[in-house]
Amino acid sequence: MIKGENIYLRPIVLRDLYILNTWKNDEDTFKFLGGGYNPVSIDQQSKWMESMIDLTGNNKRYIISTFNDIPIGMIGLYGINWIHRTAEIGLYLGNQQHRGKGYATEAHSLLENFAINYLNLRKLKLEVVNNNSKAVSLWEKLGFETVGKLSDERYIDGKYYDLLIMEKFIND
């Protein structure tokens, strides 16, 4: 468990299937994320759980939880490159009532410190839809800089949107 002041990060466990499926099927939560909004059955999502709980490879996924043991979101490092010491970061708060309270900022800080002090990573990167202003603002506040753009990359609500490529050096 990676403990903060208001939240902690813990590995995903099989019993998280139901909450993860609820979040996956929520349009407001998933329409801007990489896989987009595409509802799935609990049976389909159960097939993914083995890879979701596996922390031995190049992906490290964690549930963001309050100290009352209420899961509120997910954060992870993906495609970790152990030679170049880079990874992609992803984050969402699936529990909408916990948005806007600083939990995403704290979760990022916890994971970034873990990435520096235990994984020896030096750079985090991400892609974010340009019109997802809350997410863009969050990542900028966390020190990420836009280094590129993919034009008309994501199809959301009947329109194409640009995808910003952002990065942050964390351990140089």
Side-chain angles (χ1 to χ4, degrees):
M1 189 167 21
I2 304 169
K3 292 183 182 179
E5 288 185 34
N6 301 298
I7 58 163
Y8 64 93
L9 309 180
R10 63 164 176 79
I12 296 171
V13 294
L14 290 176
R15 72 174 181 269
D16 292 321
L17 173 62
Y18 295 98
I19 190 71
L20 290 170
N21 187 255
T22 299
W23 295 340
K24 175 69 176 155
N25 289 317
D26 179 44
E27 182 179 7
D28 287 337
T29 299
F30 261 81
K31 72 180 181 180
F32 288 116
L33 299 182
Y37 175 61
N38 188 17
V40 298
S41 71
I42 196 118
D43 296 329
Q44 179 66 43
Q45 193 154 358
S46 70
K47 295 178 183 178
W48 307 335
M49 286 304 285
E50 284 299 317
S51 67
M52 296 287 285
I53 64 176
D54 183 8
L55 295 177
T56 62
N58 297 329
N59 298 315
K60 310 286 182 199
R61 296 176 184 92
Y62 301 94
I63 291 290
I64 304 166
S65 184
T66 68
F67 284 113
N68 297 335
D69 294 320
I70 299 169
I72 61 171
M74 193 171 103
I75 190 167
L77 299 170
Y78 305 94
I80 298 172
N81 186 308
W82 300 106
I83 295 171
H84 302 301
R85 299 175 36 223
T86 63
E88 186 171 339
I89 188 168
L91 159 68
Y92 70 86
L93 295 181
N95 189 323
Q96 294 185 28
Q97 69 187 30
H98 289 91
R99 294 179 186 167
K101 297 183 178 184
Y103 296 137
T105 299
E106 186 174 353
H108 172 269
S109 177
L110 293 171
L111 191 62
E112 183 177 296
N113 287 334
F114 179 75
I116 292 167
N117 295 315
Y118 293 94
L119 302 179
N120 194 29
L121 297 182
R122 66 178 186 87
K123 181 169 82 168
L124 300 177
K125 52 194 172 180
L126 61 96
E127 296 175 343
V128 62
V129 177
N130 70 324
N131 77 318
N132 187 354
S133 57
K134 288 182 180 180
V136 172
S137 177
L138 171 70
W139 293 117
E140 288 174 343
K141 181 179 95 172
L142 295 172
F144 285 79
E145 296 181 5
T146 301
V147 296
K149 176 181 85 168
L150 300 171
S151 299
D152 292 339
E153 186 70 12
R154 295 273 171 83
Y155 188 70
I156 303 165
D157 289 334
K159 295 178 170 179
Y160 285 97
Y161 293 96
D162 296 343
L163 199 59
L164 301 178
I165 302 166
M166 303 180 84
E167 69 181 12
K168 177 182 180 181
F169 286 89
I170 61 171
N171 190 13
D172 268 339

